[in-house]
Amino acid sequence: MSRSEPTPEGGVGTTPNRLVPRFTPAERWVHRAVAVLMGICLLTAAGLYVGPIAVLIGRRELLKTLHVYAGLALPLPIVFGLLSRAFRADLSRFNRFTPADWSWLRSKDRRSGRVPIGKFNPGQKLNAAFVAGAILVMVGTGIVLGWPDPWPLWVRQGATFVHDWLAAAVVLIVAGHLWFASNDPVARSGLRTGMVPMDWAVREHPAWAREHETGSRAGTVDP
């Protein structure tokens, strides 16, 4: 039998095999759809702008079409995700930096569970903010590059500069995101199944674990 009880310090004691909900199906599909579209954009960009890859693949017009329309579609999963109450609630969590977040950034033992981090740690919040801003800027500059005729030369030049350098930054951020994900199989499982073990939640997101326990006792559990 799996059971959780408050610890004397106000935390949560739990057996390792107890699973708790972290993400709803709607949230997981938003993440997957954005990941697929972003992957298409990055791969087709490599086929368009990296010489050896472009020569190897060829079919430039097809790559260009895929790149343009995958880029235009990038905001759509997020827009549809707004229909989900859980997704909107998580967006509000991303928009708040708490004193615990600043302490977590300064802490050398941030993964010990000592700092009362909520559902998302500061690294995840900063990553989400960057990706959301990058999507908007990349779509805007991509429209200028894809349909250049209405725009003056200085706008096209500026859009090219911003689009290319922001794309390089996106590659680095995505690589870092994948590296961190590769080192946390429980977090990956949470995005795949929507469930995580409570002991992981207590260690990585103790304030969210306590919030979940409070909601469970009150009968108002919300991922």
Side-chain angles (χ1 to χ4, degrees):
M1 181 175 65
S2 181
R3 185 169 60 91
S4 298
E5 295 179 352
T7 65
E9 293 78 15
V12 178
T14 182
T15 54
N17 61 342
R18 182 190 173 201
L19 296 177
V20 295
R22 181 162 173 82
F23 295 115
T24 63
E27 292 176 292
R28 302 200 304 275
W29 278 110
V30 169
H31 185 270
R32 290 168 187 168
V34 170
V36 168
L37 291 170
M38 183 68 77
I40 292 172
C41 288
L42 294 178
L43 291 174
T44 53
L48 288 169
Y49 297 109
V50 179
I53 299 177
V55 172
L56 179 65
I57 297 176
R59 309 193 69 176
R60 184 175 180 83
E61 284 304 313
L62 175 61
L63 290 178
K64 180 180 177 181
T65 300
L66 288 173
H67 185 79
V68 168
Y69 288 102
L72 291 175
L74 261 175
L76 295 182
I78 299 172
V79 172
F80 285 117
L82 294 174
L83 298 173
S84 163
R85 181 172 63 89
F87 183 76
R88 296 195 303 272
D90 277 352
L91 284 183
S92 70
R93 295 176 190 264
F94 279 124
N95 286 335
R96 293 195 300 268
F97 242 68
T98 67
D101 290 326
W102 295 112
S103 297
W104 188 91
L105 287 172
R106 293 190 298 266
S107 175
K108 293 182 179 179
D109 62 341
R110 58 177 62 101
R111 292 301 178 86
S112 68
R114 179 183 63 82
V115 182
I117 288 298
K119 187 172 184 178
F120 302 106
N121 66 45
Q124 292 166 329
K125 292 179 179 181
L126 292 171
N127 179 75
F130 173 83
V131 169
I135 287 174
L136 291 177
V137 174
M138 294 295 276
V139 169
T141 55
I143 289 173
V144 174
L145 298 178
W147 292 271
D149 292 341
W151 309 100
L153 178 61
W154 68 269
V155 172
R156 299 198 301 269
Q157 289 175 331
T160 301
F161 178 84
V162 171
H163 198 85
D164 290 352
W165 281 103
L166 185 55
V170 168
V171 169
L172 293 177
I173 294 298
V174 169
H177 182 68
L178 293 175
W179 185 83
F180 280 112
S182 70
N183 288 291
D184 196 339
V186 176
R188 296 200 311 273
S189 176
L191 276 171
R192 188 176 65 255
T193 67
M195 308 292 288
V196 293
M198 178 57 91
D199 63 340
W200 177 89
V202 169
R203 183 178 68 252
E204 300 287 342
H205 304 274
W208 175 68
R210 289 197 295 272
E211 176 186 324
H212 189 277
E213 284 302 296
T214 301
S216 295
R217 288 192 291 270
T220 58
V221 174
D222 196 5

